[in-house]
Amino acid sequence: MGRQTGVRGAAVAVALLLGASGCGNSGQGSSGDAKASSTPSAKATASASAPSPRTPAPSGAAGQPAPGDVLPGMVTAAVARTRLAALTTGKPGTMAGYSRDKFTHWAEQGNKCDTREVVLKRDGVDVTQDSECRALTGRWKSLYDGATVTEASKLDIDHMVPLAEAWRSGAAGWDAARRKAFANDLTRPQLLAVSASSNRSKGDQSPDLWQPTDKSSWCQYGRAWTTVKSQYGLTVTDAERATLTTMLDTCTS
């Protein structure tokens, strides 16, 4: 009995240490974030995606978009329509208990880079970084408003499906590891660099409440949102499904 108690005590201690790892953020807005002020443990990497019963992400899954796409891991419009039809319809959950701190980000990705800096490098052109992996110069095209941005400080890293929206549609029941994987998912179309103004206009709103002002991005937006919600088993509302259908209808194939 004494031996069993000691083992259980050790397991609890390890669990507490793991739960305390990771970092917060100092970004403004609901889904855009500045580089975290504290650096998480290198052991707390989140390059692996959250467990899911679905098949691996399609082309671009290695962290780079497929030709013609801005985001990695996108499915085709036809597949997106099928997945959208299969999503469970639900009413928005409450925000009770929600905190951005429950979705640990930005996670360490190695070589002094966190998730934010990896996305800035991936999404930009001619991006240069300092010895701490911070983006210094580059050029970025913001998907939501079509704006060209040349200063990293004027960019937010948006969560395609905002953390608060995920909470309302199923993430409230996830454990800390799954929320962390969701907040740092570099494999699927969940993270992208956009202008801070467009990201903060979006906030935590679903597609029925907010759409990109650049309508040429609606096809990619609808495919990306549907891909993420399907992959993580999140619910959609009737209004959300209707708007996503409209967005997918702008796809040429």
Side-chain angles (χ1 to χ4, degrees):
M1 180 65 72
R3 179 181 179 85
Q4 292 176 342
T5 302
V7 171
R8 291 172 181 171
V12 171
V14 170
L16 289 173
L17 286 172
L18 290 174
S21 65
C23 64
N25 71 84
S26 57
Q28 301 178 36
S30 179
S31 52
D33 303 276
K35 187 178 178 74
S37 58
S38 59
T39 303
S41 166
K43 294 181 180 179
T45 58
S47 55
S49 305
S52 173
R54 291 198 172 275
T55 56
S59 58
Q64 293 298 324
D69 286 333
V70 173
L71 293 160
M74 296 273 270
V75 298
T76 65
V79 172
R81 290 187 183 96
T82 299
R83 291 194 179 185
L84 178 59
L87 288 176
T88 300
T89 302
K91 295 181 179 180
T94 71
M95 293 295 289
Y98 171 75
S99 169
R100 287 180 64 80
D101 292 339
K102 292 183 177 181
F103 294 80
T104 303
H105 62 291
W106 301 113
E108 181 66 36
Q109 299 293 342
N111 298 321
K112 298 184 179 180
C113 298
D114 63 19
T115 305
R116 171 183 166 82
E117 300 302 339
V118 170
V119 175
L120 285 173
K121 178 71 172 179
R122 182 198 71 191
D123 290 358
V125 177
D126 298 328
V127 177
T128 63
Q129 297 171 300
D130 65 16
S131 60
E132 297 299 316
C133 197
R134 291 183 291 252
L136 298 176
T137 61
R139 187 173 70 259
W140 294 265
K141 179 71 174 293
S142 175
L143 179 69
Y144 296 165
D145 52 10
T148 297
V149 182
T150 57
E151 298 178 50
S153 62
K154 294 183 178 180
L155 293 163
D156 279 350
I157 305 304
D158 179 47
H159 290 98
M160 172 58 65
V161 176
L163 306 182
E165 165 60 22
W167 181 270
R168 293 189 294 264
S169 56
W174 295 352
D175 62 19
R178 188 166 178 80
R179 290 183 194 135
K180 180 177 180 179
F182 178 82
N184 296 275
D185 193 341
L186 293 168
T187 301
R188 298 176 182 86
Q190 168 65 346
L191 298 169
L192 71 161
V194 295
S195 66
S197 59
S198 67
N199 182 49
R200 294 168 193 181
S201 171
K202 172 184 175 180
D204 66 354
Q205 299 176 92
S206 54
D208 52 304
L209 300 175
W210 185 91
Q211 306 89 39
T213 56
D214 184 355
K215 290 189 176 182
S216 67
S217 71
W218 281 18
C219 174
Q220 289 201 57
Y221 195 89
R223 289 161 58 211
W225 186 284
T226 301
T227 299
V228 173
K229 280 225 161 175
S230 175
Q231 187 68 43
Y232 285 90
L234 298 171
T235 61
V236 294
T237 64
D238 287 328
E240 181 183 352
R241 190 192 303 275
T243 303
L244 288 168
T245 299
T246 298
M247 288 183 163
L248 293 175
D249 284 345
T250 67
C251 299
T252 56
S253 61

